[in-house]
């Protein structure tokens, strides 16, 4: 880049540490990456630790995660510093940092509260339920129903989480309706996790119902094996919410199967109910 006043080539410059001096034959992007993850840069590791924490816990230690400044301090400075130090000492190993977070007691806390932390949404004293992101939710629905959404210009079998950019369309606008970011900026604020009436209607009476009733879908293939009613209820619960039904849920599931016009519709109704339940829609 040329300086508009002097006409001279502008030398690379970084906010802190040694300025990279790539020669004409080297890659400036590589030089920048080396500075970004060097001990000269105190910002990268701290920002990355905070951002990764927000992905697992639904909220950053510094919130919003894109607003790191002196006047917006972390809610737990010691925690952020410990994560930052561990990340640097691991050689900026993201898998290591993820492992540390998910093996922590904090991550393994339930959404249940007590009289001391019921109103806490700051100190990570309990898990905060949050709706699955748009791509996660669509892939989960496809996995449970045994269907596959098609996206324009992408190979068959592409998952929503594998879409390279926001230009890909398909699934009747499901991803945009559920808050997929446009990726115009790198800001996390582009993604929306809000819940709307339109989303509820799409789940209740939208493409989801078609995937459940698909003749090549999971319900149809399950019934083709001629299982007992009890086995149908168990399989649908295991598939949708990854657990066996409780005694009450088993009874209600059997009542749903036996009270329907035919067995297939009963099984579809049961799966539809579970897909629309908070246990399926929210990370709890």
């Amino acid at each position: 880049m040329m300086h508009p006043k002097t006409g001279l080539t502008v030398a690379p410059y970084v906010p802190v540490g040694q300025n990279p001096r790539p020669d004409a034959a080297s890659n400036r992007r590589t030089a920048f990456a080396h500075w970004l993850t060097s001990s000269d840069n105190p910002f990268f590791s701290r920002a990355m630790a905070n951002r990764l924490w927000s992905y697992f816990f639904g909220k950053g230690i510094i919130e919003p995660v894109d607003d790191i400044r002196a006047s917006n301090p972390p809610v737990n400075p010691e925690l952020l510093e410990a994560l930052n130090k561990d990340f640097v000492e691991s050689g900026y190993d993201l898998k290591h940092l993820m492992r540390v977070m998910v093996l922590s007691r904090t991550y393994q806390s339930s959404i249940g509260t007590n009289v001391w932390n019921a109103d806490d949404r700051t100190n990570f004293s309990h898990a905060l339920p949050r709706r699955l992101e748009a791509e996660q939710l669509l892939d989960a629905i496809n996995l449970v129903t045994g269907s596959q959404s098609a996206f324009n210009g992408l190979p068959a079998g592409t998952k929503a989480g594998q879409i390279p950019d926001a230009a890909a369309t398909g699934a009747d606008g499901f991803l945009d309706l559920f808050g997929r970011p446009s990726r115009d900026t790198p800001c996390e604020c582009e993604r929306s996790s809000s819940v709307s009436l339109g989303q509820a209607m799409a789940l209740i009476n939208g493409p989801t119902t078609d995937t459940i009733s698909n003749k090549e879908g999971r319900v149809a293939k399950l019934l083709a094996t001629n299982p007992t009613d009890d086995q149908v209820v168990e399989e649908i619960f295991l598939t949708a919410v990854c657990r066996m039904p409780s005694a009450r849920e088993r009874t209600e599931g059997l009542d749903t199967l036996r009270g329907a016009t035919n067995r297939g519709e009963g099984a579809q109704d049961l799966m539809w109910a579970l897909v629309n339940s908070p246990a399926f829609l929210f990370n709890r």
Side-chain angles (χ1 to χ4, degrees), residues 131 173-174 177-178 194-207:
R131 200 204 69 212
F174 183 98
L177 177 63
F178 281 82
S194 61
V195 180
S196 68
L197 179 60
Q199 294 170 356
M201 295 302 296
L203 290 170
I204 292 172
N205 195 30

Side-chain angles (χ1 to χ4, degrees), residues 31 50 83 102 109 149 218 225 228-229 236 249 257 259 283:
N50 182 62
L83 291 171
V102 299
S109 298
S149 299
R218 188 179 297 275
T225 63
T228 65
D229 287 349
I236 291 177
E249 291 168 338
L257 285 181
N283 186 326

Side-chain angles (χ1 to χ4, degrees), residues 132-141 174 178 203 280-281:
L132 296 181
E133 295 179 353
E135 297 89 343
Q136 294 171 340
L137 184 55
L138 183 57
D139 284 339
I141 291 174
F174 183 98
F178 281 82
L203 290 170
F280 181 84
L281 299 173

